Amino acid sequence: MSTKVHQLVDGKGRPLTILVGPGHAGDSPMLPGLLDGLSVPRPGRGRPRTRPDALLADKAYCSAAHRRMLTGRGIKVVIPQRADQIAHRKRRGQRGGRPPALDANAYKGRNVVERSFNTAKQCRGLATRYDKHATIYRAAFVLFAALTWLELIGDTA
């Protein structure tokens, strides 16, 4: 009965991809769909970019399958490990392997997506969730994203 909004944002908090998923489901299964929906047009000629340089995410996305998928696509993974995964690797000893690398400086920028959600929730309709249908709720987020991108063009506020 409930929904959750998932989004990929650029380094300045502007939404690139928006998906609405079931509220009872986890965040992690939405990652492939978010990446598949990513398409950033290049200025001038050329195919749109469909692969970010790096993906900064919280510990909810730290599964080995996600890491393999991202490195297979040539995307730098900046996701810390969960404490249970660290403990499991240490329990296995030498067979546990090396811990995945984490660029701590790059990870400091992960809060951009949280700030993007906080900015979106300044709109009363998005914060209070009056919409009954998930498609209309997503449309409100898409409208907010369009307004966010229009701020680049000029005085639209």
Side-chain angles (χ1 to χ4, degrees), residues 54-73:
L55 182 85
L56 286 66
D58 60 7
K59 293 179 181 183
Y61 298 94
C62 73
S63 72
H66 284 322
R67 289 182 186 278
R68 280 191 303 273
M69 177 190 64
L70 292 169
T71 54
R73 291 183 179 199

Side-chain angles (χ1 to χ4, degrees), residues 8-22:
L8 289 178
V9 299
D10 68 355
K12 297 190 191 287
R14 296 177 298 232
L16 298 171
T17 304
I18 299 171
L19 289 179
V20 174

Side-chain angles (χ1 to χ4, degrees), residues 1-4 6 13 15 21 24 29 37 43 47 56 69 74 97 103 111-112 124 129 137 142 148 150 153:
M1 297 299 266
S2 65
T3 56
K4 257 193 241 183
H6 306 272
H24 62 278
R47 293 188 326 213
L56 286 66
M69 177 190 64
D103 184 355
N111 67 9
V112 171
R124 182 176 174 192
R129 182 64 164 90
Y137 188 52
V142 170
T148 303
L150 280 174
I153 296 173

